[in-house]
Amino acid sequence: MPEHMKKLPGGNWYIEKRHTKVPGGWIRFSAGTSDRRLAERMLAEAVYLAERGEFGVWKTRFSECVEKYLEQELPKKSKSSQERYRSIVKNHLVPAFGDKTLMDLTKFNPKTGVSLITDFLKNKIELPESSVKKIRRVLKDIVLLGDTNFEMSFHEKTLQYSNKGFYQRKFLSREQLSLVVSFIDERFQTCVLLMAYTGLDLSEAV
């Protein structure tokens, strides 16, 4: 398939192939890799999706899916869940994925050996297990709005969480925590204790 690929100035491959089932008649995208074999596999997958009329899914932007999620799916949740999930979107997902395409999120990265989603979740394992699972659930729900066939990979489903909660990973004794809290304004003590004993971050606790 070399005739459908060309090198960009930075060394990465750029895919450009005519296809009648794709809007505009062209499959065009940067493979994001200088690995020729990987780029050829991505081209083959793009052609396969085009044949099924699904190539547009790859080009859908995460921000578009977020907009749909906030407008269509989030209102179906309970009020408390709405606040929690909106916070996850704002503080974790949008900063990480922003305006990237679904292809950017799910394609294999030859340098890291994983996808962008897997890499993102691995960087979250220091958070409490319950928090990471919520982040993963919201992320999956959002991506599914753009790709109904999306599934978390084996790596993403089998993450080893390093923080299973306060009692599994203490950073202060009860006496030390009480001493620290005693120096905090009384208006904020309840919130601090909630964060300490549950592992919630500030955005989740408030």
Side-chain angles (χ1 to χ4, degrees):
M1 300 181 184
E3 67 274 16
H4 306 304
M5 297 164 46
K6 62 182 180 181
K7 281 268 190 174
L8 295 173
N12 288 341
W13 287 101
Y14 184 79
I15 309 297
E16 188 171 48
K17 176 179 173 60
R18 283 190 178 277
H19 200 291
T20 57
K21 294 185 179 180
V22 174
W26 285 91
I27 293 175
R28 287 192 177 107
F29 64 91
S30 171
T33 178
S34 58
D35 186 318
R36 180 170 176 167
R37 290 185 178 180
L38 179 57
E40 288 178 346
R41 287 203 300 271
M42 293 176 68
L43 172 56
E45 184 173 355
V47 171
Y48 170 73
L49 290 173
E51 289 294 331
R52 297 177 56 180
E54 298 176 359
F55 178 71
V57 167
W58 256 19
K59 306 303 287 181
T60 301
R61 297 195 175 278
F62 184 74
S63 56
E64 296 173 42
C65 298
V66 167
E67 189 174 338
K68 287 183 181 179
Y69 178 80
L70 295 177
E71 292 180 357
Q72 301 173 16
E73 299 302 318
L74 196 60
K76 300 176 184 178
K77 312 292 183 183
S78 67
K79 187 173 181 180
S80 60
S81 292
Q82 286 185 41
E83 295 175 356
R84 188 181 309 117
Y85 294 169
R86 192 182 299 277
S87 173
I88 287 174
V89 171
K90 177 182 177 181
N91 297 313
H92 296 283
L93 303 182
V94 170
F97 304 122
D99 212 33
K100 290 181 171 61
T101 65
L102 297 190
M103 180 180 70
D104 294 330
L105 271 63
T106 58
K107 71 182 179 184
F108 173 82
N109 185 327
K111 292 182 179 179
T112 63
V114 296
S115 71
L116 191 59
I117 287 179
T118 304
D119 196 45
F120 165 77
L121 291 173
K122 281 185 174 181
N123 288 328
K124 296 293 182 182
I125 59 174
E126 291 296 327
L127 295 176
E129 181 177 354
S130 59
S131 295
V132 180
K133 287 183 175 180
K134 289 185 182 75
I135 292 172
R136 188 176 65 181
R137 184 185 312 131
V138 175
L139 174 57
K140 181 179 180 179
D141 287 347
I142 291 174
V143 177
L144 279 171
L145 291 173
D147 179 3
T148 55
N149 295 314
F150 173 73
E151 281 289 343
M152 289 287 182
S153 72
F154 174 78
H155 294 293
E156 292 150 9
K157 291 178 179 178
T158 57
L159 286 174
Q160 297 298 311
Y161 303 99
S162 60
N163 184 353
K164 294 182 177 293
F166 180 79
Y167 289 106
Q168 285 72 28
R169 192 167 184 171
K170 291 184 179 180
F171 59 96
L172 292 173
S173 67
R174 289 179 181 273
E175 293 73 21
Q176 290 172 323
L177 178 61
S178 296
L179 180 61
V180 170
V181 172
S182 69
F183 287 101
I184 297 173
D185 189 306
E186 290 186 3
R187 294 173 297 170
F188 309 122
Q189 289 182 1
T190 300
C191 182
V192 171
L193 289 170
L194 176 65
M195 292 167 64
Y197 282 98
T198 64
L200 295 174
D201 61 29
L202 181 59
S203 64
E204 293 171 322
V206 298

